Amino acid sequence: MIAVMKQQRDPYAPSSEDAVQTQTARARELVADVASSRNGREFLALVLDISQMNVSSFSPNALTMAFNEGRRSVGLSVASLIDHDTYQVMLKEAYERRKQQRN
């Protein structure tokens, strides 16, 4: 059995601004690569739908509301990585899929 050592991230260590910018740039590249295909854009649209980022996260139950807000936060983070023009194409394709499913 081969033991794989994972580098642990220290959540209390201050992160440098350069490291954050580098990670964000890499994340944008990866999302752009996924969004370059129709199936990739469909996947991203599905992730954003599941995250319910455009739905209120309010609930009378605090734990449910915290869960909903966490899910919404992930969707907003992913959406912020998507290029504006790609996002518009993705929305148009999602609309066309829903239109075809209704017929």
Side-chain angles (χ1 to χ4, degrees):
M1 179 193 239
I2 299 173
V4 177
M5 297 295 292
K6 258 181 119 174
Q7 182 180 3
Q8 295 292 321
R9 187 181 82 77
D10 183 4
Y12 300 106
S15 61
S16 70
E17 188 66 29
D18 292 339
V20 171
Q21 288 178 352
T22 301
Q23 287 176 342
T24 302
R26 180 65 179 145
R28 286 184 192 278
E29 290 174 11
L30 293 171
V31 168
D33 188 40
V34 169
S36 66
S37 71
R38 187 176 186 95
N39 286 338
R41 289 188 299 274
E42 184 176 356
F43 171 74
L44 288 173
L46 178 64
V47 168
L48 296 179
D49 276 349
I50 290 170
S51 74
Q52 297 182 357
M53 67 178 203
N54 295 320
V55 177
S56 173
S57 58
F58 176 78
S59 172
N61 182 323
L63 294 177
T64 301
M65 187 165 61
F67 175 80
N68 291 343
E69 189 57 31
R71 181 175 53 195
R72 182 175 174 271
S73 175
V74 170
L76 292 172
S77 296
V78 170
S80 73
L81 298 172
I82 301 171
D83 178 87
H84 178 71
D85 294 333
T86 303
Y87 187 74
Q88 293 298 319
V89 171
M90 187 178 69
L91 290 178
K92 183 178 178 184
E93 290 173 351
Y95 172 76
E96 292 298 326
R97 275 192 305 278
R98 287 185 184 118
K99 189 174 169 183
Q100 287 177 352
Q101 287 174 352
R102 282 188 223 131
N103 296 334

